[in-house]
């Protein structure tokens, strides 16, 4: 039996579409909550059908937008990792045994640039006190940009294999601006943020993230 998904699930039919079909793609959560989608191919492990166009998925708007072209096809066994400076590392690709893509690419998302194409002014974290956090703890983020911050987030460091990162996570935290920075409340429990190390980013009103500080949560 053939099922018309546009009838059975009209929301699917109305939803966004990527520029090309992809298998073994990589999807990396950015500090803003948007997702960089890159790599993959129409046919598994076939670089001739590789998708070079990267895209950014906006979950709030449920849309994909262009994120430029990659230089190299990234197929099976390729990885992408969010780096502490809020760029994304793209590595690998193993279309067949003994064949491995050795080039490394670094993607700089649009939030790192201003309207003129120059570097955006980024908020700066001077310190996180303490850097070892407990659940529900109120802690300090020292920054001169406190009055202009709209988000404080924890992002789990990447741990990708075979195009999957089952540990990938972004957790927003409540905060208030105070003289010299922010007072932030750590996540309530390990169901929201499992214990371990995280990158802490602050994001300003223009959507520009800081360079991260590593913290430990337990």
């Amino acid at each position: 039996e053939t099922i018309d998904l546009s009838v059975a699930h009209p929301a699917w039919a109305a939803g966004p579409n990527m520029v090309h079909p992809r298998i073994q793609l990589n999807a990396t959560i950015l500090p803003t909550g948007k997702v960089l989608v890159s790599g993959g191919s129409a046919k598994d492990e076939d670089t001739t059908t590789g998708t070079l166009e990267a895209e950014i998925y906006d979950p709030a708007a449920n849309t994909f937008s262009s994120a430029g072209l990659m230089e190299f096809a990234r197929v099976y066994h390729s990885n992408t990792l969010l780096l502490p400076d809020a760029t994304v590392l793209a590595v690998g690709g193993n279309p067949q045994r003994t064949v491995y893509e050795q080039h490394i690419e670094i993607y700089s998302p649009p939030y790192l640039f201003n309207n003129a194409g120059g570097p955006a002014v980024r908020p700066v974290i001077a310190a996180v006190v303490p850097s070892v956090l407990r659940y529900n703890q109120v802690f300090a983020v020292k920054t001169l940009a406190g009055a202009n911050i709209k988000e404080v987030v924890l992002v789990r460091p990447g741990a990708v294999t075979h195009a999957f990162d089952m540990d990938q996570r972004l957790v927003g935290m409540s905060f208030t601006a105070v003289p010299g920075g922010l007072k932030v409340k750590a996540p309530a429990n390990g169901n929201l943020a499992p214990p371990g190390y995280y990158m802490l980013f602050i994001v300003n009103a223009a959507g520009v993230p800081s360079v991260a500080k590593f913290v430990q949560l337990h």
Side-chain angles (χ1 to χ4, degrees), residues 97-173:
R97 290 183 184 274
T98 76
V99 176
Y100 182 76
E101 177 54 69
Q102 298 185 40
H103 292 90
I104 294 173
E105 298 178 74
I106 301 244
Y107 175 70
S108 296
Y111 51 54
L112 295 181
F113 303 93
N114 59 30
N115 291 334
V121 177
R122 305 182 67 172
V124 176
I125 300 174
V128 178
V129 182
S131 60
V132 178
L133 309 176
R134 296 189 179 277
Y135 292 112
N136 266 324
Q137 176 183 7
V138 175
F139 63 96
V141 175
K142 296 185 177 181
T143 176
L144 296 178
N148 194 37
I149 298 303
K150 72 170 185 178
E151 293 179 288
V152 182
V153 299
L154 295 177
V155 182
R156 193 78 155 178
V160 185
T161 181
H162 295 72
F164 288 94
D165 185 350
M166 291 179 285
D167 203 32
Q168 189 170 208
R169 183 177 303 246
L170 179 147
V171 182
M173 295 177 289

Side-chain angles (χ1 to χ4, degrees), residues 4 10 72 87 104 145 168 177 183 188 193 211-212:
D4 185 347
F72 305 96
T87 62
I104 294 173
Q168 189 170 208
K183 279 188 176 180
V211 173

Side-chain angles (χ1 to χ4, degrees), residues 184-196:
V184 185
K185 190 172 185 180
N189 54 57
N191 293 327
L192 295 173

Side-chain angles (χ1 to χ4, degrees), residues 83-94:
L83 300 180
D85 66 355
T87 62
V88 179
L89 175 73
V91 297
N94 180 209

